Amino acid sequence: MRTIVSTLFLSFSLALAAQDRNYDECVVKSSSSWGKACEKCELYKEGYKRDHSGTYQVELTNNCTETVEVKVAMQEANGTWRTFPIKALAANERMTAFACQGTGKYMYWVRRLNDTEVVMPSDREIITELRER
């Protein structure tokens, strides 16, 4: 009986700890780069040569064992924010975000998979509220 009670108590404690977890700590920048070729960036110079010199890319990794959802915004040189759809990242999975003419600034929001209590900002909110930053 004591073993059953101890097991139930441990299970309950782990469940409460999981609810209190800060999922922002799960996602970290694993790398970043300037000038790397990006298929989606279509800037040209000197005729038809593609120019990736201003391209800034950041790679984010989920270091937790649980799947999380991530929303990313990258700032372009003209002050606008390039937003990306919410993406689910499994444990140790990576994602790349980019700005074609980047400033090096980026932001991301994280929540546990399917956690409807944590509201991610919409693209419109990011674009209008972060315009000045």
Side-chain angles (χ1 to χ4, degrees):
M1 183 67 164
R2 186 179 279 180
T3 305
I4 293 172
V5 172
S6 296
T7 304
L8 287 173
F9 180 74
L10 180 62
S11 298
F12 182 71
S13 297
L14 290 174
L16 283 177
Q19 289 177 353
D20 291 339
R21 179 177 208 157
N22 181 358
Y23 288 91
D24 289 339
E25 296 170 357
C26 289
V27 177
V28 296
K29 178 175 87 169
S30 46
S31 68
S32 62
S33 62
W34 285 97
K36 190 174 176 183
C38 179
E39 192 64 34
K40 305 227 177 185
C41 295
E42 297 185 8
L43 299 168
Y44 296 91
K45 70 176 186 179
E46 299 176 21
Y48 296 104
K49 284 180 84 174
R50 247 186 176 166
D51 180 19
H52 296 286
S53 61
T55 302
Y56 179 67
Q57 295 182 24
V58 65
E59 184 179 72
L60 302 172
T61 304
N62 177 7
N63 284 335
C64 290
T65 57
E66 299 175 64
T67 300
V68 296
E69 294 177 321
V70 183
K71 173 86 175 167
V72 180
M74 303 283 293
Q75 190 178 47
E76 296 282 356
N78 64 5
T80 62
W81 290 86
R82 178 181 297 269
T83 59
F84 296 84
I86 295 172
K87 180 176 173 89
L89 286 182
N92 298 314
E93 189 174 3
R94 299 168 188 248
M95 72 169 286
T96 301
F98 64 91
C100 294
Q101 289 293 306
T103 63
K105 293 182 182 179
Y106 64 95
M107 294 193 294
Y108 60 92
W109 298 262
V110 183
R111 69 180 177 198
R112 185 173 39 131
L113 181 66
N114 296 323
D115 186 352
T116 56
E117 291 181 16
V118 176
V119 178
M120 298 280 204
S122 68
D123 290 350
R124 183 178 185 161
E125 289 171 330
I126 293 169
I127 292 167
T128 57
E129 292 178 21
L130 301 178
R131 186 178 317 162
E132 304 299 318
R133 295 183 189 178

